[in-house]
Amino acid sequence: MKAREAFDDNGKKRSPGDKWMVSGPAELIPPIEVEVVCKRTAKAMDKNEGIYVRDVNSGNVRSVTGQTYMISETEELWEKDLPESVENLLTALKDPLADRGIHGADKMGSGKARDKTKVVTFRVPHNAAVQLYDYKQKKSRVVF
């Protein structure tokens, strides 16, 4: 909810531009001074799923994984942009285990479009190595 003009909300002074969230199952008829910005629902995620969340006030982006999460009034879903070559690898219709020796662009990027708000995950087959790069610490490591 967002206040269009100053008003008294059950003893709380709301100024124009103030944002707040009404949580829980509730019936609400918003006053004229209030604008309903959006309706949010909790997102249930498995242990290997996640979303990118950006704090509007500080600008920090973080990933939330493996839990049911409700985005607060000061947060928004953030879309992670990746280079085109990485997008092609993620949307390729190749099996990481069966097609690991096949090179070429026969099936590259022909899959469905990626949801940019979901955390990037890539299934690595057994007995394979992956090189990970941490951009904050500027260090690279290999995980088996």
Side-chain angles (χ1 to χ4, degrees):
M1 313 257 303
K2 183 178 180 181
R4 291 183 189 165
E5 53 189 75
F7 75 103
D8 185 28
D9 184 21
N10 295 330
K12 261 191 171 172
K13 301 273 187 198
R14 303 282 187 189
S15 302
D18 284 356
K19 288 184 179 180
W20 70 96
M21 185 163 31
V22 177
S23 59
E27 289 186 18
L28 176 71
I29 300 173
I32 296 171
E33 301 91 358
V34 172
E35 170 188 358
V36 176
V37 178
C38 66
K39 294 179 184 177
R40 296 184 175 175
T41 58
K43 296 186 182 288
M45 296 170 279
D46 196 13
K47 65 180 179 180
N48 60 347
E49 296 177 322
I51 55 173
Y52 294 110
V53 177
R54 179 179 171 266
D55 188 337
V56 177
N57 296 335
S58 66
N60 290 339
V61 177
R62 64 189 177 94
S63 64
V64 178
T65 58
Q67 63 183 347
T68 301
Y69 188 73
M70 171 73 92
I71 298 173
S72 73
E73 66 271 6
T74 61
E75 295 175 333
E76 65 183 7
L77 286 175
W78 183 73
E79 292 187 353
K80 183 175 184 76
D81 292 321
L82 296 172
E84 187 177 347
S85 59
V86 175
E87 288 280 351
N88 288 339
L89 285 171
L90 291 172
T91 58
L93 295 175
K94 290 188 173 186
D95 181 16
L97 186 57
D99 299 333
R100 62 198 263 203
I102 300 172
H103 298 288
D106 56 343
K107 291 184 180 179
M108 294 298 277
S110 59
K112 63 180 182 176
R114 177 181 74 89
D115 182 4
K116 294 184 177 189
T117 61
K118 290 188 177 180
V119 171
V120 176
T121 58
F122 188 72
R123 194 179 128 234
V124 179
H126 180 68
N127 202 17
V130 176
Q131 182 178 9
L132 302 174
Y133 185 75
D134 186 352
Y135 287 96
K136 286 187 176 180
Q137 296 180 357
K138 295 186 179 178
K139 290 188 178 181
S140 176
R141 63 189 171 110
V142 176
V143 178
F144 294 96

